[in-house]
Amino acid sequence: MIQGAKQNVSTSPSRAASRFAYWSPLWLCLLVPVAAWYSLLQLSGVALSDTPLAFVAVVPVLAGYLLIHDGRAPAASRQRSDPFIDSLIFLVLFLVCLVLLFVLPARLSWYFWLKRFDLLIVPIFATAVVIFFWGLGGAAVVRRSLLYLALVWPHPLALLNQALGQTLVDVSAAFGALAVRVLALPIAVSPTDYTRFVSTGPEKFTLIVADTCSGMNAMIGFLVIGLPLALTWSGRRWSKVNWLIVGALAAFLSNLLRLGILFYLSATAGIDFALGTVHPVLGTALFALVFVGMLWLARYFGLSFDVKRAVPAIKSQLAVRPESFRTRVFLVGFAAVVLAAGQTTLSQFGPLSADSLPATPVREARALMPAVPGWTREWGSEIKWQNLYGRDSQSWTLVYRAGEASMVVQFVATPDQNLLDTYTLEQCNQFHGERVIGVSTVSLGHGISGRLIESQFDRGRERPLLNQNRLYWYMPLTVGRRLYHARIALFADTEMLPNQQRAQRQSQENPLVQLRDWLDSTFSPYPAAMSRPDFAEVDAYAIDFGRQMVEAIVSKSEGSSR
């Protein structure tokens, strides 16, 4: 009896320690979302949109499932891990995350969001935490979950969509034309655009087969959700690949079926019922039907759930409690808090809407230039710079006026972004003999970063030096289906300032404004905008107008997207 009691006492602490050891993955799953809270919040807004990248929002959840599955494998030997090397790798990856948060947004402006570099923090910081807790050997054990988590960065999938999207649109449009003929629907294909279908019946409407109707959404969705499931099943590798390919094709065919149903309902039951009632739920229902069907067919591919890892082992990878566990949790928690604080600065870099990239759609490139409230816009002449920026480029000069104030604007748009980086305004200033005093980066609102060039121009011996600045920024825009890149440059000097500029600026200064400016300059990724006091007035004048113009462009873009 006494011997049995001792046995119970000896096994109880072991069970408690085993349970306590499972706090390691819990800290991982908790601190990574804290470190990237704003990026993940933005990503969740895309989950319900009808875009090819909507399913990326479920990647963190499925990566956690894959992590738990793979983490139940036998623990990697801690002897192969060097605590110093693990800590050094964690520090390097943490510094990479800091660069992503505090350097790239101000440098890349809207292009930071166009490629969603902020989401790279999720896999990078997760990898850093895994290495810090379990070493390189532990990271090798759960490498599949870390690699899969990299899919949370949607840019590679966006490139895949660009490569295959038009082909899928062509196939979908051809199927739509076939459905119209076979079902004898009162719908005709537009003679000028094969993706537009115009009603010839009593109710007039137009159906457009766009990227969101191409089936790319369903194909990517099946691959994103099906990949971690297939990785956790038992079966041959090629059987898993075949299952994924067949499922993706079935998802694409289900989208063609959805297209035919919507065409039929639009012609028979009305466009409001087809697009307003059926369209929002039909795609989801067909995708769910395909996915359930493929789960049922998995056994015919020789696949089954891996029951060997259903029950965690006592010495599994996730059960390993690293040395100085509390110290590691504290350090990782501190790093997560720093990154979470940096995420607050990303709010100014948010995209225009939750379901679209920050590229303003316009009919022609120069239509990007807005009418700024309180200013009159005068178009100048077109600049023939096709030899510099490409034959499809456009270059214009404009002048905005408001009373005695004026602002000269230069607009350049080209499909080749590299040409804008080749022929810069800094080179232009030096070419015209101006002496560059300083160059800095400033915030123009809505995530736009501007480059402010301060220079002086020698007008001769009898006239004093003229203080000038050039404030310019880059913006992506879409003309039809083509992506363009625009450079908007403001040209200002001291002689263009209104007489009341200095008085108005002094009257607006108060302790609260100064406190706000101090906070912005301290915690913002932007450095101080003004390099010399004698440029303060012309700098403030150009920056204020630049922010008005950005606000007008964003307002016009939001209105056109509704």
Side-chain angles (χ1 to χ4, degrees), residues 420-421 423-434 436 438-440 451-454 470 472 474 487:
L420 292 177
D421 298 329
Y423 304 100
T424 64
L425 286 182
E426 288 87 339
Q427 296 174 342
C428 181
N429 281 36
Q430 296 174 359
F431 177 79
H432 290 286
E434 299 178 11
V436 176
V439 180
S440 58
R451 294 283 287 172
L452 184 66
I453 307 172
E454 297 171 332
R470 308 287 189 269
Y472 71 93
Y474 297 113
R487 185 183 71 199

mmCIF file of all heavy atoms in Angstrom, residues 420-421 423-434 436 438-440 451-454 470 472 474 487:
data_model
loop_
_atom_site.group_PDB
_atom_site.id
_atom_site.type_symbol
_atom_site.label_atom_id
_atom_site.label_comp_id
_atom_site.label_asym_id
_atom_site.label_seq_id
_atom_site.Cartn_x
_atom_site.Cartn_y
_atom_site.Cartn_z
ATOM 1 N N LEU A 420 11.019 55.381 -64.067
ATOM 2 C CA LEU A 420 10.862 56.485 -63.129
ATOM 3 C C LEU A 420 12.033 56.557 -62.162
ATOM 4 O O LEU A 420 12.425 57.641 -61.723
ATOM 5 C CB LEU A 420 9.548 56.336 -62.351
ATOM 6 C CG LEU A 420 8.254 56.511 -63.155
ATOM 7 C CD1 LEU A 420 7.056 56.260 -62.271
ATOM 8 C CD2 LEU A 420 8.174 57.903 -63.765
ATOM 9 N N ASP A 421 12.579 55.384 -61.813
ATOM 10 C CA ASP A 421 13.740 55.362 -60.925
ATOM 11 C C ASP A 421 15.027 55.703 -61.661
ATOM 12 O O ASP A 421 16.014 56.107 -61.035
ATOM 13 C CB ASP A 421 13.870 53.973 -60.284
ATOM 14 C CG ASP A 421 12.670 53.621 -59.421
ATOM 15 O OD1 ASP A 421 12.073 54.545 -58.848
ATOM 16 O OD2 ASP A 421 12.322 52.428 -59.343
ATOM 17 N N TYR A 423 15.289 58.029 -64.302
ATOM 18 C CA TYR A 423 15.316 59.476 -64.551
ATOM 19 C C TYR A 423 14.561 60.162 -63.421
ATOM 20 O O TYR A 423 13.337 60.300 -63.457
ATOM 21 C CB TYR A 423 14.694 59.800 -65.910
ATOM 22 C CG TYR A 423 15.352 59.074 -67.053
ATOM 23 C CD1 TYR A 423 14.781 57.931 -67.607
ATOM 24 C CD2 TYR A 423 16.567 59.527 -67.569
ATOM 25 C CE1 TYR A 423 15.402 57.259 -68.657
ATOM 26 C CE2 TYR A 423 17.186 58.852 -68.620
ATOM 27 C CZ TYR A 423 16.594 57.729 -69.149
ATOM 28 O OH TYR A 423 17.203 57.059 -70.188
ATOM 29 N N THR A 424 15.296 60.589 -62.401
ATOM 30 C CA THR A 424 14.706 61.135 -61.185
ATOM 31 C C THR A 424 14.769 62.658 -61.181
ATOM 32 O O THR A 424 15.512 63.275 -61.964
ATOM 33 C CB THR A 424 15.428 60.589 -59.946
ATOM 34 O OG1 THR A 424 16.798 61.050 -59.967
ATOM 35 C CG2 THR A 424 15.414 59.070 -59.941
ATOM 36 N N LEU A 425 14.023 63.256 -60.263
ATOM 37 C CA LEU A 425 14.042 64.707 -60.131
ATOM 38 C C LEU A 425 15.349 65.203 -59.534
ATOM 39 O O LEU A 425 15.764 66.334 -59.800
ATOM 40 C CB LEU A 425 12.868 65.161 -59.267
ATOM 41 C CG LEU A 425 11.496 65.115 -59.932
ATOM 42 C CD1 LEU A 425 10.436 65.637 -58.984
ATOM 43 C CD2 LEU A 425 11.470 65.921 -61.209
ATOM 44 N N GLU A 426 15.996 64.390 -58.709
ATOM 45 C CA GLU A 426 17.294 64.796 -58.186
ATOM 46 C C GLU A 426 18.288 65.008 -59.323
ATOM 47 O O GLU A 426 19.058 65.977 -59.314
ATOM 48 C CB GLU A 426 17.825 63.740 -57.215
ATOM 49 C CG GLU A 426 17.109 63.688 -55.880
ATOM 50 C CD GLU A 426 15.889 62.792 -55.893
ATOM 51 O OE1 GLU A 426 15.361 62.514 -56.992
ATOM 52 O OE2 GLU A 426 15.447 62.367 -54.828
ATOM 53 N N GLN A 427 18.266 64.119 -60.311
ATOM 54 C CA GLN A 427 19.140 64.277 -61.471
ATOM 55 C C GLN A 427 18.760 65.512 -62.275
ATOM 56 O O GLN A 427 19.625 66.211 -62.806
ATOM 57 C CB GLN A 427 19.076 63.032 -62.351
ATOM 58 C CG GLN A 427 19.601 61.764 -61.687
ATOM 59 C CD GLN A 427 19.371 60.535 -62.543
ATOM 60 O OE1 GLN A 427 18.552 60.549 -63.455
ATOM 61 N NE2 GLN A 427 20.093 59.467 -62.248
ATOM 62 N N CYS A 428 17.452 65.789 -62.343
ATOM 63 C CA CYS A 428 16.978 66.965 -63.080
ATOM 64 C C CYS A 428 17.480 68.250 -62.435
ATOM 65 O O CYS A 428 17.899 69.187 -63.120
ATOM 66 C CB CYS A 428 15.456 66.947 -63.155
ATOM 67 S SG CYS A 428 14.738 68.331 -64.065
ATOM 68 N N ASN A 429 17.439 68.303 -61.094
ATOM 69 C CA ASN A 429 17.925 69.489 -60.390
ATOM 70 C C ASN A 429 19.402 69.737 -60.685
ATOM 71 O O ASN A 429 19.820 70.870 -60.954
ATOM 72 C CB ASN A 429 17.723 69.308 -58.884
ATOM 73 C CG ASN A 429 16.289 69.562 -58.473
ATOM 74 O OD1 ASN A 429 15.374 69.231 -59.205
ATOM 75 N ND2 ASN A 429 16.090 70.140 -57.303
ATOM 76 N N GLN A 430 20.198 68.692 -60.629
ATOM 77 C CA GLN A 430 21.618 68.849 -60.888
ATOM 78 C C GLN A 430 21.884 69.224 -62.339
ATOM 79 O O GLN A 430 22.796 70.000 -62.638
ATOM 80 C CB GLN A 430 22.342 67.547 -60.527
ATOM 81 C CG GLN A 430 22.262 67.192 -59.048
ATOM 82 C CD GLN A 430 22.871 65.837 -58.755
ATOM 83 O OE1 GLN A 430 23.348 65.150 -59.653
ATOM 84 N NE2 GLN A 430 22.853 65.446 -57.490
ATOM 85 N N PHE A 431 21.067 68.694 -63.254
ATOM 86 C CA PHE A 431 21.237 69.000 -64.668
ATOM 87 C C PHE A 431 21.022 70.478 -64.948
ATOM 88 O O PHE A 431 21.701 71.078 -65.781
ATOM 89 C CB PHE A 431 20.278 68.147 -65.497
ATOM 90 C CG PHE A 431 20.329 68.429 -66.974
ATOM 91 C CD1 PHE A 431 21.338 67.902 -67.756
ATOM 92 C CD2 PHE A 431 19.367 69.232 -67.583
ATOM 93 C CE1 PHE A 431 21.396 68.161 -69.126
ATOM 94 C CE2 PHE A 431 19.419 69.498 -68.944
ATOM 95 C CZ PHE A 431 20.431 68.965 -69.716
ATOM 96 N N HIS A 432 20.061 71.098 -64.255
ATOM 97 C CA HIS A 432 19.739 72.508 -64.481
ATOM 98 C C HIS A 432 20.575 73.442 -63.608
ATOM 99 O O HIS A 432 20.286 74.634 -63.539
ATOM 100 C CB HIS A 432 18.249 72.753 -64.215
ATOM 101 C CG HIS A 432 17.354 72.141 -65.253
ATOM 102 N ND1 HIS A 432 17.202 72.662 -66.516
ATOM 103 C CD2 HIS A 432 16.568 71.032 -65.217
ATOM 104 C CE1 HIS A 432 16.356 71.918 -67.224
ATOM 105 N NE2 HIS A 432 15.953 70.920 -66.455
ATOM 106 N N GLY A 433 21.583 72.927 -62.959
ATOM 107 C CA GLY A 433 22.508 73.773 -62.224
ATOM 108 C C GLY A 433 22.035 74.203 -60.858
ATOM 109 O O GLY A 433 22.598 75.153 -60.287
ATOM 110 N N GLU A 434 21.039 73.548 -60.290
ATOM 111 C CA GLU A 434 20.572 73.895 -58.955
ATOM 112 C C GLU A 434 21.424 73.177 -57.902
ATOM 113 O O GLU A 434 21.871 72.049 -58.112
ATOM 114 C CB GLU A 434 19.101 73.523 -58.796
ATOM 115 C CG GLU A 434 18.181 74.244 -59.773
ATOM 116 C CD GLU A 434 16.725 73.822 -59.613
ATOM 117 O OE1 GLU A 434 16.420 73.144 -58.623
ATOM 118 O OE2 GLU A 434 15.920 74.158 -60.494
ATOM 119 N N VAL A 436 21.501 71.282 -54.582
ATOM 120 C CA VAL A 436 20.624 70.553 -53.679
ATOM 121 C C VAL A 436 21.111 70.733 -52.249
ATOM 122 O O VAL A 436 22.265 70.429 -51.928
ATOM 123 C CB VAL A 436 20.563 69.061 -54.056
ATOM 124 C CG1 VAL A 436 19.722 68.284 -53.049
ATOM 125 C CG2 VAL A 436 20.004 68.888 -55.463
ATOM 126 N N GLY A 438 19.107 69.623 -49.351
ATOM 127 C CA GLY A 438 18.730 68.461 -48.553
ATOM 128 C C GLY A 438 17.585 67.704 -49.202
ATOM 129 O O GLY A 438 16.793 68.267 -49.963
ATOM 130 N N VAL A 439 17.500 66.416 -48.893
ATOM 131 C CA VAL A 439 16.426 65.548 -49.375
ATOM 132 C C VAL A 439 15.879 64.774 -48.186
ATOM 133 O O VAL A 439 16.647 64.203 -47.404
ATOM 134 C CB VAL A 439 16.924 64.560 -50.455
ATOM 135 C CG1 VAL A 439 15.787 63.677 -50.942
ATOM 136 C CG2 VAL A 439 17.556 65.309 -51.619
ATOM 137 N N SER A 440 14.560 64.759 -48.027
ATOM 138 C CA SER A 440 13.935 64.067 -46.900
ATOM 139 C C SER A 440 12.627 63.432 -47.344
ATOM 140 O O SER A 440 12.103 63.729 -48.418
ATOM 141 C CB SER A 440 13.682 65.034 -45.731
ATOM 142 O OG SER A 440 12.860 66.114 -46.149
ATOM 143 N N ARG A 451 8.906 62.647 -51.405
ATOM 144 C CA ARG A 451 10.310 63.023 -51.318
ATOM 145 C C ARG A 451 10.407 64.527 -51.517
ATOM 146 O O ARG A 451 9.958 65.072 -52.533
ATOM 147 C CB ARG A 451 11.135 62.291 -52.373
ATOM 148 C CG ARG A 451 11.193 60.804 -52.156
ATOM 149 C CD ARG A 451 12.144 60.425 -51.048
ATOM 150 N NE ARG A 451 13.538 60.588 -51.435
ATOM 151 C CZ ARG A 451 14.552 60.462 -50.590
ATOM 152 N NH1 ARG A 451 14.323 60.209 -49.319
ATOM 153 N NH2 ARG A 451 15.802 60.602 -51.009
ATOM 154 N N LEU A 452 11.004 65.204 -50.538
ATOM 155 C CA LEU A 452 11.119 66.656 -50.553
ATOM 156 C C LEU A 452 12.563 67.038 -50.841
ATOM 157 O O LEU A 452 13.474 66.714 -50.070
ATOM 158 C CB LEU A 452 10.666 67.231 -49.213
ATOM 159 C CG LEU A 452 10.638 68.754 -49.101
ATOM 160 C CD1 LEU A 452 9.576 69.336 -50.033
ATOM 161 C CD2 LEU A 452 10.369 69.172 -47.668
ATOM 162 N N ILE A 453 12.772 67.721 -51.970
ATOM 163 C CA ILE A 453 14.114 68.156 -52.375
ATOM 164 C C ILE A 453 14.208 69.662 -52.176
ATOM 165 O O ILE A 453 13.455 70.423 -52.781
ATOM 166 C CB ILE A 453 14.391 67.812 -53.849
ATOM 167 C CG1 ILE A 453 14.120 66.336 -54.130
ATOM 168 C CG2 ILE A 453 15.816 68.176 -54.228
ATOM 169 C CD1 ILE A 453 14.192 65.990 -55.599
ATOM 170 N N GLU A 454 15.121 70.092 -51.342
ATOM 171 C CA GLU A 454 15.351 71.519 -51.118
ATOM 172 C C GLU A 454 16.603 71.941 -51.886
ATOM 173 O O GLU A 454 17.654 71.300 -51.774
ATOM 174 C CB GLU A 454 15.527 71.796 -49.625
ATOM 175 C CG GLU A 454 14.284 71.463 -48.807
ATOM 176 C CD GLU A 454 14.531 71.540 -47.323
ATOM 177 O OE1 GLU A 454 15.694 71.328 -46.907
ATOM 178 O OE2 GLU A 454 13.576 71.801 -46.586
ATOM 179 N N ARG A 470 11.178 70.686 -54.572
ATOM 180 C CA ARG A 470 10.440 69.752 -55.413
ATOM 181 C C ARG A 470 9.889 68.678 -54.484
ATOM 182 O O ARG A 470 10.649 67.975 -53.816
ATOM 183 C CB ARG A 470 11.348 69.086 -56.462
ATOM 184 C CG ARG A 470 12.168 70.056 -57.298
ATOM 185 C CD ARG A 470 11.299 70.797 -58.300
ATOM 186 N NE ARG A 470 12.103 71.564 -59.235
ATOM 187 C CZ ARG A 470 12.453 72.835 -59.050
ATOM 188 N NH1 ARG A 470 12.084 73.453 -57.934
ATOM 189 N NH2 ARG A 470 13.171 73.473 -59.946
ATOM 190 N N TYR A 472 7.706 65.303 -54.583
ATOM 191 C CA TYR A 472 7.132 64.352 -55.534
ATOM 192 C C TYR A 472 6.840 63.038 -54.822
ATOM 193 O O TYR A 472 7.419 62.710 -53.794
ATOM 194 C CB TYR A 472 8.066 64.138 -56.727
ATOM 195 C CG TYR A 472 9.325 63.366 -56.441
ATOM 196 C CD1 TYR A 472 9.380 61.978 -56.633
ATOM 197 C CD2 TYR A 472 10.483 64.016 -55.991
ATOM 198 C CE1 TYR A 472 10.546 61.267 -56.381
ATOM 199 C CE2 TYR A 472 11.647 63.314 -55.749
ATOM 200 C CZ TYR A 472 11.672 61.937 -55.943
ATOM 201 O OH TYR A 472 12.818 61.239 -55.684
ATOM 202 N N TYR A 474 5.157 58.769 -55.794
ATOM 203 C CA TYR A 474 4.747 57.775 -56.782
ATOM 204 C C TYR A 474 3.403 57.180 -56.378
ATOM 205 O O TYR A 474 3.122 56.991 -55.195
ATOM 206 C CB TYR A 474 5.778 56.640 -56.884
ATOM 207 C CG TYR A 474 7.140 57.091 -57.358
ATOM 208 C CD1 TYR A 474 8.253 57.043 -56.519
ATOM 209 C CD2 TYR A 474 7.325 57.566 -58.650
ATOM 210 C CE1 TYR A 474 9.501 57.444 -56.949
ATOM 211 C CE2 TYR A 474 8.575 57.970 -59.092
ATOM 212 C CZ TYR A 474 9.653 57.912 -58.229
ATOM 213 O OH TYR A 474 10.887 58.321 -58.672
ATOM 214 N N ARG A 487 4.291 59.513 -61.385
ATOM 215 C CA ARG A 487 5.080 60.395 -60.522
ATOM 216 C C ARG A 487 4.459 61.781 -60.582
ATOM 217 O O ARG A 487 4.364 62.385 -61.653
ATOM 218 C CB ARG A 487 6.544 60.454 -60.974
ATOM 219 C CG ARG A 487 7.430 61.282 -60.025
ATOM 220 C CD ARG A 487 8.839 61.387 -60.548
ATOM 221 N NE ARG A 487 8.915 62.240 -61.726
ATOM 222 C CZ ARG A 487 9.921 62.224 -62.597
ATOM 223 N NH1 ARG A 487 10.913 61.366 -62.425
ATOM 224 N NH2 ARG A 487 9.918 63.035 -63.642
#
